[in-house]
């Protein structure tokens, strides 16, 4: 086969020596297994993300290595796009009022979720198993992270009746996971620099540590200020009515431009591109005027015989154009790529198993303890303030002004927060593989122990959170830590109920309007 330097000649796949009918059947069976395993995992253990991880282990390098290496590399890149879109969708649906109101609690939760895994790692790995100080720090840093992608996946799929992105506990969870993501980026940069130090290179550790922190704080402050005082007024006054005639098509262009701009800024500023994707979604959710945010699609209003189209919300555009391919192709590929990165066969020596299982249990406790902050917060908050956070007067135990009943009502939300923080996923794998491949400090034994904990925590966390939501989701959603009506929303209608009543694809108004 020949090709020029300027283009690749197209051939039917069955005429290529490297892509046979068997290869095509392998690809088809891989995607079929992705979807089937995701469906079964969601139905049986209410944690659909685990199915693609298992499929990635089976078809990827860790076990059977059925997929070609270049295919796995391609799926890794596509999966990362799916992760960015997953975080971007979370930003579109985020509630700034909830994030701001609970930021102090979120910082306390995130700090606890960083300190406890590192501290308990030194207690077990350094003092118990005899690992070195630096390699203990590397493994502990990997286990101090929280999988941001898994967090959003759990929130979006845990319950069919409650939209946990609109709950107070969901806001705390998202904020804490974002802070852990940024801290994980900082520690991965430090760990990568350790390789240069061990090779005799010089590294400015102060700048290396401060750069992602400063960049993240700056983007966090500048984005809402810029959106509120500059971009939103300009968009609403000059662009919104002009873009309305093009409907979803104009929105998708704006979404692509804003998302690309934010992940580029985040990457060059030194912070996480996932954090940039989340802020891009937050910015877009703020741009349209309030009358368009929850509109059921493009509306038509007769004004003297003239029809005027109303711009759909960016959430509707995402659901209309992106959500299906993201949910059924890109997101499963992301979780399968986690499976690609797990050294499955190296996990099954005697010492590796018992070291890994013991460390896993300790790391579950290290993140579960984060959930203690919600009952503690309920106990320390004045009764009037605790009830006011619900956004409306509620009846029953959730609205009780007694300290004991407030703490009791906060137990289930606290358990949900702790369980959802358990999954480590992509950030943990990134940190520990940087430590293993880029430095000389991390031994094979410590690497395998860390992988065991990352893998089992990423499995156990979503399962536990899904089971809790199955049995206590409605109570959590209706409690003080549950769904908070948006400012200006009808008191008898929650965001989740509004979302449920929204037409799935095309409303009657859209049918009367041209796109």
């Amino acid at each position: 086969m020949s090709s020029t330097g300027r283009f690749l000649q197209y051939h039917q796949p069955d005429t290529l020596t490297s892509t046979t009918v068997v290869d095509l059947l392998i690809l088809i069976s891989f995607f079929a297994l992705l979807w089937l395993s995701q469906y079964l995992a969601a139905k049986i253990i209410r944690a659909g993300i685990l199915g693609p991880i298992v499929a990635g282990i089976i078809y990827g390098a860790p076990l059977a290595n059925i997929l070609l290496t270049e295919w796995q590399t391609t799926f890794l890149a596509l999966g990362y796009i799916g992760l960015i879109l997953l975080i971007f969708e979370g930003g579109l649906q985020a509630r700034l009022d909830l994030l701001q109101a609970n930021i102090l609690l979120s910082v306390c939760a995130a700090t606890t979720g960083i300190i406890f895994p590192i501290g308990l790692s030194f207690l077990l790995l350094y003092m118990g198993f005899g690992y070195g100080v630096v390699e203990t720090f590397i493994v502990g840093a990997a286990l101090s992270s929280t999988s941001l992608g898994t967090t959003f996946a759990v929130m979006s799929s845990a319950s069919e009746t409650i939209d946990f992105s609109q709950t107070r506990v969901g806001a705390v969870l998202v904020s804490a996971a974002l802070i852990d993501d940024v801290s994980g980026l900082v520690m991965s940069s430090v760990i990568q620099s350790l390789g240069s130090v061990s090779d005799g290179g010089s590294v400015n550790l102060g700048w290396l540590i401060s750069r992602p922190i400063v960049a993240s704080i700056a983007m966090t402050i500048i984005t809402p200020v810029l959106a509120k005082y500059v971009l939103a007024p300009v968009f609403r006054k000059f662009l919104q009515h002009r873009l309305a005639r093009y409907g979803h098509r104009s929105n998708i262009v704006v979404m692509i431009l804003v998302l690309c701009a934010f992940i580029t800024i985040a990457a060059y500023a030194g912070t996480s591109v996932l954090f940039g994707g989340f802020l891009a979604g937050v910015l877009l959710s703020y741009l349209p005027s309030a009358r368009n945010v929850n509109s059921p699609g493009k509306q038509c209003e007769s004004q003297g015989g003239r029809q005027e189209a109303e711009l759909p919300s960016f959430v509707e555009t995402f659901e209309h154009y992106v959500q299906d391919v993201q949910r059924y192709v890109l997101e499963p590929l992301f979780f399968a790529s986690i499976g690609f990165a797990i050294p499955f066969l190296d996990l099954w020596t005697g010492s590796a198993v018992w070291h890994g299982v013991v460390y896993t249990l300790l790391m579950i406790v290290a993140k579960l303890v984060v959930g203690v902050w919600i009952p503690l917060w309920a106990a320390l908050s004045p009764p009037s303030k605790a009830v006011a956070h619900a956004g409306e007067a509620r009846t029953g135990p959730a609205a009780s002004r007694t300290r004991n009943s407030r703490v009791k009502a906060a137990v289930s939300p606290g358990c949900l927060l702790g369980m959802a923080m358990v999954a480590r996923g992509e950030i943990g794998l990134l940190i520990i593989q940087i430590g293993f491949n880029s430095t000389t400090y991390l031994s094979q034994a410590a690497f395998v122990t860390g992988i065991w904990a990352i893998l089992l925590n990423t499995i156990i966390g979503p399962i536990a959170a899904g089971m809790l939501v199955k049995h206590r989701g409605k109570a959590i959603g209706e409690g003080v830590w549950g769904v908070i009506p948006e400012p200006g929303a009808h008191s008898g209608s929650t965001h989740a109920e509004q979302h449920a009543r929204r037409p799935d694809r095309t409303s009657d108004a859209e049918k009367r309007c041209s796109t």
Side-chain angles (χ1 to χ4, degrees):
M1 182 188 318
S2 62
S3 63
T4 68
R6 296 185 180 180
F7 66 93
L8 178 68
Q9 294 183 11
Y10 179 80
H11 295 274
Q12 289 185 359
D14 58 358
T15 64
L16 297 176
T17 58
S18 61
T19 306
T20 63
V21 173
V22 173
D23 297 324
L24 295 177
L25 293 176
I26 288 174
L27 286 174
I28 293 172
S29 65
F30 172 65
F31 279 99
L33 181 61
L34 281 184
W35 300 323
L36 179 62
S37 61
Q38 185 177 38
Y39 172 80
L40 292 176
K43 287 294 183 182
I44 297 173
I45 56 177
R46 299 187 68 85
I49 64 173
L50 301 183
I53 294 177
V54 173
I57 293 175
I58 295 173
Y59 270 69
L63 196 56
N65 202 23
I66 299 174
L67 297 174
L68 298 177
T69 302
E70 53 265 33
W71 293 352
Q72 296 181 51
T73 304
T74 301
F75 293 154
L76 182 66
L78 290 174
Y80 199 74
I81 294 176
L83 174 60
I84 292 174
L85 290 177
L86 185 63
I87 306 304
F88 176 67
E89 182 185 10
L92 284 175
Q93 298 177 345
R95 290 273 302 280
L96 284 179
D97 58 325
L98 289 179
L99 295 177
Q100 293 171 356
N102 297 281
I103 187 62
L104 182 58
L105 175 57
S106 301
V107 171
C108 293
T111 303
T112 302
I114 295 170
I115 293 176
F116 267 74
I118 295 178
L120 293 179
S121 294
F122 273 94
L123 183 65
L124 179 65
L125 301 185
Y126 177 65
M127 300 180 64
F129 294 162
Y131 294 165
V133 174
V134 177
E135 68 177 339
T136 297
F137 169 74
I138 294 174
V139 178
L143 271 297
S144 70
S145 65
T146 297
S147 174
L148 195 59
T150 304
T151 297
F152 281 108
V154 168
M155 288 178 60
S156 63
S157 62
S159 175
E160 297 178 355
T161 58
I162 301 296
D163 184 359
F164 277 91
S165 65
Q166 308 301 313
T167 62
R168 189 180 174 197
V169 64
V172 175
L173 173 59
V174 168
S175 300
L178 283 169
I179 295 171
D180 280 1
D181 183 44
V182 173
S183 68
L185 177 71
V186 173
M187 286 185 280
S188 66
S189 300
V190 173
I191 291 168
Q192 195 160 20
S193 71
L194 292 176
S196 300
V197 173
S198 63
D199 293 335
S202 60
V203 176
N204 188 344
L205 285 179
W207 170 244
L208 194 70
I209 295 173
S210 62
R211 181 186 176 190
I213 297 175
V214 172
S216 301
I217 294 175
M219 290 184 69
T220 302
I221 296 173
I222 292 174
T223 298
V225 172
L226 189 66
K228 182 175 182 179
Y229 296 106
V230 179
L231 297 180
V234 171
F235 183 86
R236 295 170 186 177
K237 184 175 182 179
F238 299 105
L239 296 178
Q240 184 165 308
H241 64 281
R242 291 184 173 90
L243 295 178
R245 70 180 65 179
Y246 302 106
H248 289 300
R249 290 172 293 178
S250 61
N251 274 6
I252 199 71
V253 172
V254 173
M255 290 166 65
I256 292 173
L257 293 176
V258 171
L259 178 59
C260 291
F262 266 80
I263 63 177
T264 302
I265 293 171
Y268 280 97
T271 187
S272 170
V273 296
L274 303 180
F275 184 59
F278 179 80
L279 289 180
V282 170
L283 174 70
L284 288 173
S285 69
Y286 196 85
L287 288 185
S289 60
R291 68 187 181 91
N292 287 301
V293 172
N294 291 319
S295 65
K298 190 163 55 175
Q299 303 291 327
C300 290
E301 298 179 0
S302 177
Q303 298 179 353
R306 179 175 61 89
Q307 288 186 328
E308 181 180 353
E310 185 175 298
L311 185 68
S313 70
F314 288 105
V315 173
E316 290 179 297
T317 299
F318 187 92
E319 293 174 348
H320 193 90
Y321 281 98
V322 184
Q323 192 173 66
D324 283 348
V325 67
Q326 188 267 334
R327 178 175 298 174
Y328 297 111
V329 179
L330 298 178
E331 184 180 322
L333 284 178
F334 160 65
F335 289 109
S337 68
I338 292 180
F340 295 160
I342 295 173
F344 187 77
L345 295 179
D346 296 333
L347 301 178
W348 300 102
T349 64
S351 61
V353 171
W354 84 266
H355 280 195
V357 171
V358 171
Y359 187 53
T360 294
L361 297 176
L362 193 64
M363 289 300 99
I364 291 175
V365 174
K367 284 293 186 178
L368 282 178
V369 73
V370 174
V372 174
W373 273 106
I374 288 186
L376 182 62
W377 209 261
L380 297 178
S381 299
S384 59
K385 184 176 181 181
V387 176
H389 271 302
E392 61 180 359
R394 296 182 188 265
T395 59
S400 175
R401 295 177 181 271
T402 65
R403 186 186 301 264
N404 290 338
S405 59
R406 294 202 312 270
V407 172
K408 183 178 179 181
V411 170
S412 292
C415 291
L416 177 61
L417 174 63
M419 292 172 181
M421 293 282 286
V422 165
R424 270 46 172 212
E426 71 280 357
I427 302 298
L429 286 173
L430 172 66
I431 294 174
I432 201 167
Q433 292 206 14
I434 287 175
F436 187 68
N437 297 319
S438 301
T439 75
T440 58
Y441 298 106
L442 194 61
S443 65
Q444 175 75 17
F447 174 71
V448 171
T449 299
I451 290 293
W452 259 113
I454 292 171
L455 175 61
L456 291 182
N457 276 264
T458 305
I459 292 174
I460 294 171
I463 291 176
M467 292 297 181
L468 178 63
V469 170
K470 178 180 179 181
H471 297 288
R472 298 289 300 165
K474 185 176 181 181
I476 294 174
E478 294 176 350
V480 176
W481 293 88
V483 176
I484 308 298
E486 295 186 48
H490 190 275
S491 60
S493 177
T494 66
H495 178 90
E497 291 167 342
Q498 294 167 1
H499 182 83
R501 289 196 298 267
R502 190 169 59 200
D504 183 39
R505 283 297 176 200
T506 307
S507 66
D508 293 337
E510 283 183 289
K511 296 176 181 178
R512 295 194 299 268
C513 299
S514 63
T515 57

